Amino acid sequence: MFLGTHTPRLDDKGRLALPAKFRTELEGGLVITKGQERCLFVFPMAEFSRITELLRSAPVTQRSVRDYSRVFFASASHEVPDGQGRITVPSQLREYAGLSKDCVVIGANSRVEVWDAEAWQAYLAGTEQAFAEAEEVLPGLL
């Protein structure tokens, strides 16, 4: 499980240092791909495999499944962190997420998300009030 908010910087070579708390689970390899709200999703290999199996079982006759799968897998990049816990974020993914030097890396349960720092602040500004006022997110659970 990935938790917390971290603020690493993207270097001039497009490398991002993963938070130390996340490195053990990601050191064997990971997949980084486009996520919703113009962030990047980072999955440990086991989680990416689980999602792949779920998408495999979805009906390819449904256009939304085809569209999502095409973008999700076409933009995916397998990365292995270097000895300093850095991954290279491919240029097309940096462009998609609008990443600049200042980034925010958040733990989002089974995945990690990478955001441009300004985009993350704008996202929070638009969603925190609704979060604070939420009455029931998962009926009977939360």
Side-chain angles (χ1 to χ4, degrees):
M1 179 182 334
F2 298 102
L3 304 170
T5 303
H6 309 271
T7 54
R9 298 194 73 173
L10 197 63
D11 72 14
D12 292 336
K13 295 180 181 177
R15 295 178 301 191
L16 185 73
L18 296 168
K21 288 180 166 185
F22 299 168
R23 290 180 189 174
T24 300
E25 194 163 349
L26 299 172
E27 68 187 359
L30 56 90
V31 174
I32 184 169
T33 190
K34 292 177 180 176
Q36 278 65 56
E37 292 82 37
R38 295 276 177 172
C39 75
L40 302 178
F41 288 170
V42 178
F43 297 101
M45 289 305 298
E47 180 65 7
F48 189 78
S49 294
R50 185 187 73 77
I51 291 168
T52 298
E53 288 305 314
L54 290 172
L55 286 170
R56 245 186 216 144
S57 66
V60 294
T61 55
Q62 191 172 342
R63 183 176 183 93
S64 61
V65 171
R66 291 191 312 273
D67 290 346
Y68 186 86
S69 292
R70 286 174 181 144
V71 173
F72 187 76
F73 290 108
S75 65
S77 179
H78 177 256
E79 301 292 330
V80 177
D82 67 13
Q84 296 176 357
R86 297 175 302 193
I87 58 169
T88 299
V89 180
S91 62
Q92 74 273 17
L93 292 177
R94 292 193 311 266
E95 283 179 32
Y96 171 80
L99 297 183
S100 59
K101 290 258 184 226
D102 296 320
C103 296
V104 174
V105 174
I106 65 165
N109 192 358
S110 62
R111 70 179 181 275
V112 172
E113 293 183 0
V114 180
W115 291 77
D116 175 72
E118 287 183 17
W120 174 248
Q121 290 308 313
Y123 174 79
L124 283 180
T127 58
E128 278 188 320
Q129 188 61 36
F131 175 84
E133 295 171 356
E135 292 184 22
E136 189 170 42
V137 177
L138 299 171
L141 295 177
L142 188 61

